[in-house]
Amino acid sequence: MGRSTLYNDAGVIFAQKEKSLLRTALTSLKTENKTKYIAYWGKIEGINADYFLIKAWDEYLGPAKYFYSNDMVDWAQVPEVDPHVEEMVKLDQSLYIGDPTIKTRFRDLTKLTKKDPTGEEEENAAPPEEEEEAEEAAPEEGAEEEEGAPKKPKKPSNFFTEDQRIAVFVRQIELNCQLVPRSFLYLNATHLVCENPSYKGLSQVESLKLTSYLHLRFPFDPIVRKNLEVKGVNKPFDFLDPADNDQPVGSWSLQYKSFVSLISIRSLLFPGYQVFLRPDTPEWGSVYVGNGLMNIDIPFTLPPISAADTHPHLLEKIMRENEEEERRRKEEEERLKREAEEQQEEEEQAEEQ
């Protein structure tokens, strides 16, 4: 946690005990799993307990492992989920409890009402049958199966565990929100994604533009994807999707904290995720701290504006004013210094005479 000051300025505060436990966990998990990179991913807040998450990976844009813990002592790997479970979990808007083994039943709300021939809905016309949590009992030993009888396909379960919800939510964040500053990663001659050793950070003007932040995923744009996959195309910094093309327009909130010189980009689609950096320095980071829910009401909360009107003109004006004020302050200090030197020289000359 060498960047604890950066996290504190971004509003992510750790207690001294949490810092110690997290530092130990990062070291031990990296050694046990033999990964090249490891980092604190964030925290999902629950009713009875919270989930702390760590990400470990070997290659950017490659597979990654995620670990969760309620106490920062015992860590477990986030499981893989099948598409059926993923579709169920995406529709769940209930709060997390804090127990990874607890099971939740998915109810398809579209089956709770039934339309009559007049087009009106009858409430509770067709209540759903109760789903059994356990699987169907296996046939008894010695029971003979009918010859040629087709096997009945197993009905998928309508239950999912909370650790499966974590897996689906982490995947949603990685696909929709995970950003890196432009030029932090580059595409080398063999088309491998590597960290840029000469990265010095974004300037104040660049850090206020969404085009300076790229999605850390395989690009969706076919033109950008071509730069990544086709060998011979030499565009070392233009191989990831920029954040300014995200939909809906205005789903990112850019904030500037002048008192700590920090720029923060927060997601309104997944409240709790943010990317933060200091302009003109290589210091940057990203984290999620929230209740683990997507803002499904975002189309109704954003103002009807065009993409051209989302440019942060006000922030640029504030930063220009701060730069002008800093310049005037330095000029005043230099003027006072020159006056003091001139006065000292006059005093020395008077003493000599």
Side-chain angles (χ1 to χ4, degrees):
M1 296 298 296
R3 300 182 299 173
S4 59
T5 304
L6 184 66
Y7 278 81
N8 291 342
D9 293 342
V12 183
I13 310 299
F14 294 95
Q16 192 61 38
K17 181 180 179 181
E18 292 177 338
K19 290 182 182 179
S20 178
L21 292 175
L22 188 56
R23 187 182 299 111
T24 303
L26 291 171
T27 304
S28 60
L29 289 175
K30 184 176 182 181
T31 303
E32 293 173 3
N33 294 275
K34 299 179 181 180
T35 56
K36 187 176 181 180
Y37 306 103
I38 195 166
Y40 176 67
W41 191 88
K43 179 175 69 173
I44 297 177
E45 299 169 344
I47 297 176
N48 298 329
D50 300 332
Y51 294 103
F52 298 92
L53 291 148
I54 286 177
K55 177 182 179 180
W57 72 102
D58 290 319
E59 296 180 0
Y60 289 95
L61 301 185
K65 296 180 180 179
Y66 301 90
F67 303 89
Y68 68 90
S69 174
N70 293 121
D71 54 7
M72 287 191 174
V73 177
D74 300 321
W75 293 85
Q77 186 172 347
V78 175
E80 298 288 338
V81 296
D82 56 64
H84 172 69
V85 174
E86 185 171 355
E87 289 300 320
M88 289 193 301
V89 173
K90 283 182 179 180
L91 302 176
D92 191 4
Q93 286 289 302
S94 61
L95 295 176
Y96 287 74
I97 302 299
D99 183 1
T101 60
I102 192 170
K103 289 188 176 182
T104 305
R105 177 187 171 189
F106 170 71
R107 294 178 180 272
D108 191 352
L109 300 181
T110 61
K111 296 180 180 180
L112 296 179
T113 58
K114 181 180 179 181
K115 288 186 176 181
D116 59 12
T118 62
E120 298 180 353
E121 293 182 353
E122 298 180 7
E123 294 185 0
N124 302 326
E129 297 180 358
E130 292 295 332
E131 297 289 343
E132 294 293 337
E133 179 178 350
E135 297 180 358
E136 294 182 359
E140 297 181 0
E141 295 182 2
E144 297 182 359
E145 297 181 358
E146 298 181 5
E147 295 183 1
K151 292 183 179 180
K152 186 178 180 180
K154 182 181 177 181
K155 187 177 181 179
S157 174
N158 278 4
F159 289 86
F160 56 86
T161 57
E162 204 157 81
D163 58 351
Q164 290 177 323
R165 282 191 68 186
I166 295 175
V168 174
F169 182 74
V170 167
R171 175 176 169 79
Q172 287 180 308
I173 292 290
E174 293 289 331
L175 287 178
N176 297 283
C177 298
Q178 196 64 265
L179 302 178
V180 295
R182 192 175 187 276
S183 75
F184 173 74
L185 300 175
Y186 80 102
L187 202 63
N188 63 13
T190 58
H191 273 236
L192 293 178
V193 180
C194 308
E195 290 187 4
N196 184 5
S198 60
Y199 174 73
K200 303 299 181 183
L202 299 176
S203 66
Q204 290 187 341
V205 176
E206 291 176 342
S207 60
L208 291 172
K209 299 177 181 178
L210 281 178
T211 53
S212 300
Y213 301 91
L214 309 175
H215 281 281
L216 188 59
R217 69 188 183 201
F218 278 97
F220 296 160
D221 189 334
I223 298 177
V224 179
R225 194 180 186 93
K226 179 180 178 182
N227 298 336
L228 175 65
E229 295 180 338
V230 178
K231 293 185 177 182
V233 178
N234 187 16
K235 292 186 177 181
F237 301 120
D238 299 324
F239 61 94
L240 296 174
D241 291 328
D244 64 328
N245 294 331
D246 291 352
Q247 297 293 330
V249 175
S251 59
W252 291 101
S253 173
L254 197 150
Q255 302 174 4
Y256 173 56
K257 300 179 181 180
S258 58
F259 55 95
V260 290
S261 183
L262 190 79
I263 290 179
S264 175
I265 300 180
R266 300 173 182 266
S267 174
L268 302 182
L269 183 61
F270 290 90
Y273 177 83
Q274 63 170 323
V275 179
F276 42 88
L277 58 84
R278 297 194 198 278
D280 300 315
T281 70
E283 297 182 8
W284 78 279
S286 64
V287 71
Y288 176 84
V289 179
N291 57 10
L293 300 179
M294 181 177 67
N295 180 16
I296 59 176
D297 297 325
I298 190 171
F300 309 101
T301 57
L302 293 176
I305 57 177
S306 62
D309 295 332
T310 60
H311 192 70
H313 299 289
L314 179 59
L315 289 177
E316 290 186 352
K317 180 181 178 181
I318 294 174
M319 297 189 72
R320 284 197 300 268
E321 291 176 354
N322 291 341
E323 292 176 356
E324 183 65 21
E325 182 179 353
E326 183 70 14
R327 184 185 63 81
R328 288 196 299 266
R329 185 184 64 81
K330 290 182 179 180
E331 290 179 354
E332 182 66 17
E333 291 178 354
E334 292 177 357
R335 185 183 64 80
L336 295 175
K337 184 178 180 181
R338 286 196 302 269
E339 291 179 356
E341 292 176 352
E342 291 175 358
Q343 184 178 358
Q344 184 177 1
E345 290 178 357
E346 291 177 357
E347 292 176 355
E348 292 176 354
Q349 292 176 359
E351 290 177 358
E352 292 177 355
Q353 293 177 355

